[in-house]
Structure formats: C-alpha cells, structure tokens
Amino acid sequence: MKKFISSLSLLCALCACSSSDDNDSRDMTLPVISEQGITANPVECQQYHPGDVIPFHYVFTDDVELGNYNIEIHNNFDHHTHSGSAVECELETKKEAGPKAWVFNQDYAIPAGQRTYTARVDIQIPDDVETGDYHFMVRLTDRAGWQQLKAVTIKVK
C-alpha cells in the first residue's frame, strides 16, 4: 500500500510540473465554422430533391491549427433538435423512418498546419431517398481536440 501511495504521489508531482512555455502554447479555443465572406451552403430550411447535389461550402478557422471535419446527415422525422438555432423551419408531420431514410456520415481531412480552410464538398442525395425533414450536421475539430458543431435543418422533397 505504501508503494502505491508513493507511486501515486510521484505521478501527481510530475503532472503538476510543467514549464510556462507548455502552458502558453496550449490551444484552449474552439475552432469556428463561419459563413463570413462566402455564400454558405446549406443553410437553415433549405430544400432539395432526391437526386440533387448539396454543394457544401463553409470556412473553418482556428487560432492554432485545424484538425478535421465530419459531415453527418440523418432524418429528423421525429422533430428532435441539436442546436439552439434562432430559425425555426416548418416541419412535416412526425413519422417513422422507413428503409430508405437517408444516412450520410463522412470524415474529411484538413491539410496539416492550416489555421483557415475553405471546405467544399458535393454531396449526392440518393435518387430513392425517403423524403422529409433532415439534419445536416458539421463537426469541426481542431488539432488539440476541441470541437465545434453546426446543425441545420434541411428538407428533401
């Protein structure tokens, strides 16, 4: 037991010691998903049709270094929420998701060393997708692991 307590004390002491340079260079700020200076897409309440392409376009920034991003699209047939958006879109009647409900989930790399990155991805909506309300979500992660989330409601009609 004494050996365990001594080891634990040594570990705590080592963890408490760090140079001021290490603390000054730590990234403690969330990355930013921005619409500034561009025509961002998609935006709240935007409508698409089966077979359309969603031209994703946003600008990402971080004070130290960006990491990667993820785009997820899933149905919102039950009217759940992900963010506190000030915009309320008109939703269709609640329903159960069928076998053709669209699910998209893809990770994208950002080149190393980037503090600003303009993301553009064309996402094909399947021709036979179940129509209705969907969430389009972007998760941006910086190199330190901090994450920002942007979720918008879109409709496939």
Side-chain angles (χ1 to χ4, degrees), residues 64-133:
V64 177
E65 184 177 1
L66 293 164
N68 59 41
Y69 66 103
N70 171 275
I71 296 175
E72 178 190 339
I73 303 167
H74 62 267
N75 77 73
N76 184 24
F77 300 163
D78 63 356
H79 299 175
H80 65 276
T81 62
H82 290 283
S83 66
S85 175
V87 177
E88 286 193 34
C89 304
E90 187 176 326
L91 300 175
E92 295 181 6
T93 304
K94 287 183 181 182
K95 65 180 183 179
E96 291 290 320
K100 297 290 184 170
W102 186 27
V103 176
F104 180 91
N105 193 333
Q106 182 69 48
D107 294 322
Y108 298 90
I110 296 173
Q114 301 295 308
R115 293 184 351 173
T116 300
Y117 182 77
T118 301
R120 291 180 180 268
V121 178
D122 287 337
I123 301 169
Q124 180 74 46
I125 300 172
D127 290 328
D128 61 348
V129 70
E130 185 172 356
T131 59
D133 300 305

Side-chain angles (χ1 to χ4, degrees), residues 2 5 17 26-27 36 40 48 52 72-73 92 98 109 152:
K2 286 182 184 181
I5 292 173
C17 296
R26 293 177 87 189
D27 182 353
Q36 190 170 1
Y48 298 93
D52 282 355
E72 178 190 339
I73 303 167
E92 295 181 6
V152 298

